[in-house]
Amino acid sequence: MAAAHRCTTTDMTTLPFQLPLIAILRGITPAEVDAHVDALVEEGFDAIEIPTNSPDWEQSVQRSVRRHGQHACIGAGTVVQPAHIDALLRSGGRLMVTPNTDPQLIQRAVAEGLLVAAGFATASEAFQALRAGAQLLKLFPASIHGPALVRALRSVLPPVPLFAVGGVSPTTLASYLSAGCQGAGTGGDLYQPGQSVQTTREHARAFRQAYLDYSA
């Protein structure tokens, strides 16, 4: 298994991925994961999340780490219990993404050296996650709250990386970035269970181009 260095930074310039778009492969199976992650990495994605409600997710994380762990930050999403952290560590993953703010879970993951993207929906939850040690904040579900909340939060939050997740598409990505997000989690508009590798590739290319167009 590829060795993984530990992540403790809150500085976007030193996060363990270059493209601030986390690919969320909810529902992918171990039999499919190699080809889809290969395509994502080839298209420039270097942050991969496999949610824990995917079939045999630990095996998929492990396979992805073995293939791409040296040049991509790979881990699990929908992490909601200590057993998920244990499994993630066994798999060699180094990214933990939560849908909610659970200080004890965040503290445990940070103590283990994981990069934690903590889900939140309010300013109180955001500050709670930061106090627990989260290095990255995940506004979820972003499509419900919208860029207006991002803009309001940016007036009070410290300069911690803030990602929008949930309903973000290549068309709407720029609105979140311009409001103050540094990146996004790309879910259903990137990957749906059973889709072809070529579709994953095309969607990844569209997201990456949308980010590059905004950053130009």
Side-chain angles (χ1 to χ4, degrees):
M1 184 181 300
H5 68 271
R6 295 307 189 184
C7 314
T8 57
T9 182
T10 58
D11 183 350
M12 278 296 298
T13 63
T14 53
L15 283 177
F17 46 88
Q18 297 296 314
L19 182 68
L21 299 174
I22 300 174
I24 304 170
L25 301 178
R26 190 178 305 278
I28 201 161
T29 67
E32 302 168 305
V33 73
D34 290 355
H36 287 271
V37 173
D38 286 354
L40 288 167
V41 171
E42 288 166 8
E43 292 300 326
F45 277 69
D46 54 355
I48 311 293
E49 169 193 337
I50 299 170
T52 63
N53 53 7
S54 303
D56 298 315
W57 68 272
E58 185 180 352
Q59 184 180 346
S60 291
V61 172
Q62 187 175 66
R63 292 179 68 97
S64 299
V65 168
R66 284 175 174 167
R67 290 174 74 86
H68 297 292
Q70 293 291 348
H71 49 267
C73 189
I74 297 166
T78 317
V79 174
V80 295
Q81 54 184 280
H84 290 157
I85 296 178
D86 295 336
L88 177 56
L89 292 169
R90 285 195 302 270
S91 74
R94 52 195 174 114
L95 171 66
M96 183 186 100
V97 185
T98 74
N100 63 334
T101 304
D102 183 332
Q104 290 185 326
L105 205 68
I106 294 168
Q107 290 168 356
R108 161 84 194 286
V110 171
E112 295 285 0
L114 296 172
L115 172 65
V116 178
F120 78 99
T122 67
S124 294
E125 291 175 348
F127 280 101
Q128 190 177 38
L130 292 176
R131 284 194 299 270
Q135 304 100 327
L136 191 155
L137 292 176
K138 162 191 164 181
L139 177 62
F140 178 79
S143 60
I144 301 299
H145 302 290
L149 179 59
V150 174
R151 199 170 289 110
L153 287 167
R154 268 298 171 213
S155 67
V156 297
L157 288 175
V160 62
L162 173 60
F163 280 39
V165 182
V168 179
S169 70
T171 303
T172 61
L173 176 61
S175 65
Y176 289 99
L177 298 175
S178 63
C181 284
Q182 280 69 48
T186 58
D189 283 88
L190 174 72
Y191 176 80
Q192 294 284 345
Q195 75 182 27
S196 69
V197 174
Q198 182 59 30
T199 298
T200 297
R201 184 182 298 278
E202 290 169 357
H203 290 175
R205 192 170 297 165
F207 267 108
R208 183 170 183 270
Q209 191 59 54
Y211 177 77
L212 294 175
D213 288 346
Y214 174 82
S215 302

